[in-house]
Amino acid sequence: MAPCSVVFVFLLSITVAAIRPCYPSQVYVVYMGSKGSQTADDILKQNHQMLTAVHGGRLDEAKASHLYTYSNAFRGFAAKLSKEQASKMAEMPGVVSVFPNLKRNLHTTHSWDFIGLGTNEEMEIPGFSTKNQENIIIGFIDTGIWPESPSFNDVGMPPVPSKWKGQCQTGESFTVSCCNKKVIGARYYLSGYETEEESLEESMKSGKTVKYKSPRDSSGHGSHTASTAAGRYVNNMTYNGLGAGGARGGAPMSRIAVYKACWDSGCYDADLLAAFDDAIRDGVDIISVSLGPNSPQEDYFYDAISIGSFHATSHGILVVSSAGNVGTRGSATNLAPWMLTVGASSTDREFTSSIVLGNGKKFMGESLSSLKMNKASRIISASDVNGGYFTPYQSSFCLDSSLNRTKARGKILICHHSGSASESRVEKSMVVKKAGGVGMIMIDEVETDVAVPFVIPAATVGKGVGSRILSYVNHTRNPTALIFPPKAVLGSRAAPRIAAFSSKGPNSLTTEILKPDIVAPGLNILAAWSPADNNLKYNILSGTSMSCPHATGLVALIKAVYPHWTPSAIKSAIMTTASVLDKNGGGITADPKGRLANPFDYGSGFPVPSRVLDPGLIYDAQASDYKAFLCSIGYDDKSLQLITGDSSKCNGSSPSPSNLNYPSITVPNLKGNYTITRTVTNVGIPSATYQAQVSPPTGINVTVVPQILSFSSYGQKHNFTVTFTTTSPSKDYVFGSLSWKTDNIKVTSPLVVRLASSGSSFL
Ligand SMILES: *[C@@H]1O[C@H](CO)[C@@H](O)[C@H](O)[C@H]1NC(C)=O
Ligand SMILES: *[C@@H]1O[C@H](CO)[C@@H](O)[C@H](O)[C@H]1NC(C)=O
Ligand SMILES: *[C@@H]1O[C@H](CO)[C@@H](O)[C@H](O)[C@H]1NC(C)=O
Ligand SMILES: *[C@@H]1O[C@H](CO)[C@@H](O)[C@H](O)[C@H]1NC(C)=O
Ligand SMILES: *[C@@H]1O[C@H](CO)[C@@H](O)[C@H](O)[C@H]1NC(C)=O
Ligand SMILES: *[C@@H]1O[C@H](CO)[C@@H](O)[C@H](O)[C@H]1NC(C)=O
Ligand SMILES: *[C@@H]1O[C@H](CO)[C@@H](O)[C@H](O)[C@H]1NC(C)=O
């Protein structure tokens, strides 16, 4: 395999300054629903006409304001508009929504062994052939790819599937030879980003990092996610000697299609929609998006990811997404019911660093810094080395310039981290280093499990261990400590646990739909990286960005075995077979305090690969189900028809969104009693009888009718109802489960209920 040209290009001589418009205009996305029979040319012409109308009849201005036309899988365009022009546009016939080009953020391997799939190259779920994996194409909307990574080699892969209609777009340090039989296509989308963030050349000149104007990945995030889901087997993957061993993605024989819509500072809606529009047309089978809107999320048809994934689903493509890294209740994003939304859990591997105090006491911390301390050094609280105008309290957080060099030199500093996303953990180690410190103990009040690549010997500890170390320091004349480099330790704690940062339910947009749907490993995940960043080939990262591609890999395995399953069938199979127990058989707990986790943390639970291919029954949702759902959340006939591109009507009083045929059941507003309906489809043996088994939420009676479902053929459907009745008042959400059981199969849905009278707060 000849490497495709790897050239680091630093553009130094840029003469054209970005021209800033003197009137306030920005990029808006004009979304116009499903596309009819118009050709791309017709659509472009109509877009220009609409733009001309808001530009006072000036066609040249209209054309100049136009950024993108979306005409493959849905209709719309992106253009530079003033606020007034945007609101005029929103009134025009055919327009569903007009929204500003907002920025979305990335939700920044052993993990596959942990999930229950071996390390062998031809990974298969026992008993099922996954030979068809090579026909599965996964589209990654992310920061691009580093094609030379061993994770993306195409040795032994058959020719590109004939259904593939995508392309290998060339650009800076990216030639057609950068695509191969593994990375079968690559494109990039820059207009939305460039227009908002001045020209890329400008930021390149000022910034330190190299950004490729091509599908090449300069940040590493895109290579990490793609290799996690679909990377080839690499026998010597390691991060600075840590976690060394063979590793590969979930579906190593499936194909990768790259859609680079994310750049250093984030991903803009206009670019994301263009990526979805192309991916759907190109023929991908699955789309993986490890990024999302800030919480709280805008309405579904004012958000590029929700819109793109709605049309992807209509084309039979399941979109897998990350729930976000905010960690608080109600913070989950990517809330649309047509997506599979993934929260983050731990694996059973920790990167632990020993801390030995002068009195011989030993504590464990978490770290990725492989730097060695030669001898024990004096340890001191950062609050005691405050410098300049900083108070001891401020300095205890090791803020930039807050430390006195004279006092800090040669010492190990104890720094605090509040857990807020705006505080960088790595940066604190840089601050200590700059002040002459030789080591750092970081007391993290929220997140003790994320292993951080500190730039000096350092380790993260929780509040408990932290106060014991502080107490030693306070009560000892010459306190010292020695921090050892981390070691990968397996099975030291119960796993999986829910990562503290993993964003949680309830769903802030449609409370009746539980989010996240599942959790997957997202804590300290080793995968491919971009050498353009820190010259690293592999890196260890944490985030729901990392858990999303684990689910994507699993979806690829199912799709390979059942190519004709709908997105909702695949999603149902993963959700109804998931487990809510950890590997020790106890209930999954949530970091940092180890409380028992609930469906707002993990949705349906942690996937069990050995069960996903034989789910017995599935909760399928067709286009008509999503139409009814849109009616139930208030869409009118006009919007519905534009979105779906047909003559659908909302029929009078819509049922509650709780009635969407979803694999989990949520009733957020229970008054007295309430009944929901579900339909299950038999995808197991033709003749099977299932019995309902309910674990009712506290204070709620649950009645399932009928109690027994008998099937006699494959594909046969049965309806059932679930009636919830209040038996005693409760203040908050309560949780239970419903399982349909036959010999070896259990089809489980979480039950999530809250009484109407309870409390005033919506979340
Ligand atoms: C690791 O493997 C890659 C190819 O798989 C090879 O190019 C590289 O030299 C190996 N490195 C070591 C240290 O063995
Ligand atoms: C740092 O501490 C030393 C010793 O206590 C003191 O002399 C010096 O003024 C301090 N410097 C700053 C910038 O606070
Ligand atoms: C240690 O002393 C610091 C002040 O230097 C104080 O803020 C902290 O509460 C003390 N901690 C313990 C555990 O004694
Ligand atoms: C409205 O009713 C018609 C006929 O029963 C049905 O085909 C259609 O799917 C319904 N529309 C919605 C949005 O449920
Ligand atoms: C539900 O409530 C209605 C009236 O509010 C009552 O007639 C009905 O019997 C109740 N159903 C159940 C199953 O409790
Ligand atoms: C299930 O219910 C739907 C609507 O409530 C109905 O159209 C359908 O025929 C029912 N299916 C079965 C198998 O009874
Ligand atoms: C709840 O179920 C129990 C046991 O089936 C029954 O005795 C009780 O009356 C029910 N309560 C209500 C409020 O329906």
Side-chain angles (χ1 to χ4, degrees):
M1 181 198 62
C4 68
S5 60
V6 192
V7 186
F8 291 82
V9 181
F10 293 90
L11 291 179
L12 294 173
S13 57
I14 287 104
T15 48
V16 189
I19 298 161
R20 284 219 162 269
C22 45
Y23 55 93
S25 91
Q26 72 162 114
V27 177
Y28 283 86
V29 173
V30 178
Y31 169 61
M32 302 176 66
S34 284
K35 124 190 213 297
S37 53
Q38 311 97 320
T39 64
D41 279 352
D42 290 343
I43 291 178
L44 181 63
K45 221 176 270 169
Q46 283 174 25
N47 293 349
H48 283 155
Q49 279 168 9
M50 290 173 68
L51 281 166
T52 306
V54 300
H55 275 100
R58 292 178 296 272
L59 180 63
D60 51 338
E61 272 186 28
K63 281 186 174 170
S65 70
H66 176 268
L67 255 64
Y68 283 113
T69 284
Y70 311 120
S71 58
N72 296 322
F74 46 88
R75 263 199 74 176
F77 57 93
K80 270 194 269 186
L81 298 171
S82 68
K83 216 172 164 189
E84 292 69 34
Q85 289 170 327
S87 28
K88 249 190 225 167
M89 198 64 95
E91 299 304 314
M92 291 191 179
V95 173
V96 177
S97 57
V98 176
F99 52 95
N101 181 32
L102 290 182
K103 185 156 72 179
R104 311 303 179 177
N105 296 312
L106 297 166
H107 289 148
T108 329
T109 292
H110 164 85
S111 45
W112 282 107
D113 309 335
F114 174 68
I115 218 175
L117 294 165
T119 43
N120 54 321
E121 159 75 324
E122 300 298 330
M123 183 181 63
E124 296 195 350
I125 296 174
F128 293 89
S129 168
T130 54
K131 285 280 172 287
N132 193 38
Q133 230 186 75
E134 61 209 31
N135 290 319
I136 303 304
I137 303 168
I138 310 174
F140 293 89
I141 301 182
D142 212 302
T143 65
I145 198 140
W146 193 265
E148 295 80 6
S149 169
S151 295
F152 307 128
N153 83 74
D154 68 351
V155 175
M157 293 199 71
V160 172
S162 57
K163 66 179 178 184
W164 176 241
K165 296 201 285 284
Q167 52 164 272
C168 191
Q169 191 180 358
T170 60
E172 185 187 341
S173 299
F174 207 91
T175 64
V176 279
S177 68
C178 290
C179 295
N180 59 17
K181 289 179 293 201
K182 178 67 188 175
V183 179
I184 63 172
R187 299 174 184 264
Y188 69 100
Y189 306 87
L190 190 55
S191 305
Y193 181 89
E194 216 169 20
T195 312
E196 302 288 355
E197 310 240 334
E198 306 188 351
S199 76
L200 197 63
E201 281 85 357
E202 276 296 300
S203 46
M204 225 191 244
K205 199 166 59 172
S206 57
K208 290 162 295 259
T209 42
V210 184
K211 301 162 190 171
Y212 300 101
K213 250 189 187 184
S214 74
R216 183 175 289 281
D217 181 10
S218 67
S219 97
H221 189 275
S223 303
H224 202 276
T225 53
S227 67
T228 298
R232 302 298 299 277
Y233 183 77
V234 175
N235 63 18
N236 58 1
M237 195 183 284
T238 172
Y239 170 82
N240 286 337
L242 273 173
R248 47 113 181 86
M253 292 301 277
S254 60
R255 319 288 182 144
I256 292 170
V258 175
Y259 298 87
K260 179 178 177 182
C262 297
W263 305 81
D264 271 8
S265 88
C267 341
Y268 281 92
D269 274 345
D271 298 326
L272 291 170
L273 264 188
F276 271 105
D277 194 33
D278 281 343
I280 296 168
R281 195 259 322 265
D282 288 350
V284 303
D285 296 295
I286 303 161
I287 294 176
S288 191
V289 281
S290 284
L291 59 113
N294 287 334
S295 140
Q297 179 184 336
E298 302 81 5
D299 190 24
Y300 302 117
F301 290 93
Y302 290 79
D303 166 58
I305 301 173
S306 304
I307 294 171
S309 56
F310 179 84
H311 292 282
T313 308
S314 313
H315 285 80
I317 301 163
L318 179 56
V319 178
V320 187
S321 66
S322 46
N325 302 336
V326 176
T328 51
R329 184 164 160 146
S331 60
T333 62
N334 287 323
L335 301 170
W338 44 84
M339 313 172 83
L340 177 63
T341 309
V342 190
S345 76
S346 68
T347 67
D348 62 350
R349 179 167 71 182
E350 321 261 330
F351 295 97
T352 55
S353 208
S354 313
I355 303 161
V356 179
L357 302 182
N359 64 5
K361 287 234 168 69
K362 187 170 157 189
F363 296 102
M364 292 302 185
E366 194 76 11
S367 179
L368 284 182
S369 165
S370 55
L371 299 163
K372 281 198 177 72
M373 279 182 75
N374 295 325
K375 58 176 176 46
S377 298
R378 184 71 190 269
I379 179 167
I380 186 166
S381 169
S383 59
D384 289 339
V385 299
N386 61 311
Y389 299 110
F390 289 86
T391 64
Y393 176 76
Q394 288 169 323
S395 299
S396 74
F397 289 92
C398 295
L399 305 178
D400 195 13
S401 320
S402 71
L403 306 174
N404 178 319
R405 274 193 64 91
T406 316
K407 295 191 218 158
R409 188 172 304 130
K411 302 200 174 80
I412 296 172
L413 265 49
I414 302 171
C415 302
H416 284 270
H417 189 282
S418 69
S420 120
S422 61
E423 266 180 76
S424 158
R425 295 172 171 89
V426 175
E427 205 174 294
K428 286 179 196 284
S429 67
M430 292 172 175
V431 169
V432 173
K433 187 181 183 185
K434 209 171 91 188
V438 297
M440 179 177 76
I441 306 283
M442 193 168 77
I443 302 177
D444 199 317
E445 318 212 327
V446 176
E447 191 63 75
T448 56
D449 295 325
V450 173
V452 177
F454 298 116
V455 300
I456 50 174
T460 307
V461 298
K463 226 175 162 175
V465 168
S467 66
R468 287 160 73 186
I469 295 175
L470 275 176
S471 160
Y472 159 75
V473 170
N474 282 6
H475 297 112
T476 308
R477 193 174 296 273
N478 274 315
T480 61
L482 182 56
I483 305 169
F484 288 88
K487 291 199 180 95
V489 178
L490 289 181
S492 66
R493 298 173 63 189
R497 303 179 313 277
I498 306 301
F501 61 76
S502 183
S503 286
K504 294 165 177 53
N507 185 323
S508 63
L509 211 46
T510 313
T511 338
E512 293 85 352
I513 303 294
L514 179 64
K515 290 285 169 174
D517 293 306
I518 53 163
V519 287
L523 191 61
N524 305 329
I525 304 301
L526 175 65
W529 199 242
S530 163
D533 179 69
N534 273 335
N535 207 18
L536 282 176
K537 283 176 107 173
Y538 303 101
N539 201 359
I540 294 175
L541 256 73
S542 296
T544 51
S545 273
M546 283 66 237
S547 49
C548 167
H550 278 95
T552 303
L554 198 54
V555 170
L557 296 180
I558 300 172
K559 186 82 184 168
V561 177
Y562 303 119
H564 301 298
W565 274 17
T566 62
S568 59
I570 294 173
K571 183 172 155 177
S572 177
I574 294 175
M575 288 171 68
T576 62
T577 58
S579 171
V580 297
L581 300 180
D582 67 22
K583 303 279 158 163
N584 299 338
I588 291 178
T589 59
D591 286 342
K593 300 217 172 104
R595 71 173 162 82
L596 194 62
N598 65 49
F600 287 153
D601 300 298
Y602 52 58
S604 293
F606 188 80
V608 182
S610 61
R611 294 179 59 202
V612 293
L613 292 175
D614 191 14
L617 306 176
I618 53 167
Y619 293 85
D620 208 357
Q622 312 289 347
S624 57
D625 297 289
Y626 292 125
K627 286 174 198 170
F629 169 78
L630 293 177
C631 295
S632 74
I633 60 169
Y635 279 78
D636 59 12
D637 287 351
K638 178 178 157 259
S639 306
L640 186 70
Q641 289 173 6
L642 288 172
I643 292 166
T644 60
D646 57 26
S647 53
S648 310
K649 276 191 158 56
C650 291
N651 302 327
S653 66
S654 303
S656 151
S658 292
N659 282 296
L660 176 64
N661 203 36
Y662 211 71
S664 58
I665 298 173
T666 306
V667 176
N669 218 3
L670 179 63
K671 295 183 190 116
N673 67 47
Y674 189 75
T675 300
I676 61 103
T677 304
R678 287 285 188 275
T679 306
V680 282
T681 307
N682 181 21
V683 296
I685 54 168
S687 171
T689 300
Y690 288 83
Q691 169 125 32
Q693 186 188 54
V694 172
S695 162
T698 309
I700 309 284
N701 271 7
V702 178
T703 314
V704 180
V705 178
Q707 280 281 309
I708 289 180
L709 298 175
S710 290
F711 294 88
S712 54
S713 62
Y714 180 90
Q716 189 181 358
K717 291 176 189 291
H718 275 308
N719 291 344
F720 65 89
T721 63
V722 185
T723 301
F724 298 90
T725 311
T726 324
T727 60
S728 67
S730 63
K731 283 210 174 68
D732 197 2
Y733 279 96
V734 283
F735 307 98
S737 66
L738 160 65
S739 297
W740 288 102
K741 284 187 74 174
T742 184
D743 303 338
N744 299 316
I745 297 176
K746 213 168 145 184
V747 188
T748 303
S749 297
L751 304 176
V752 179
V753 181
R754 190 184 62 168
L755 304 190
S757 53
S758 61
S760 50
S761 131
F762 150 71
L763 293 180

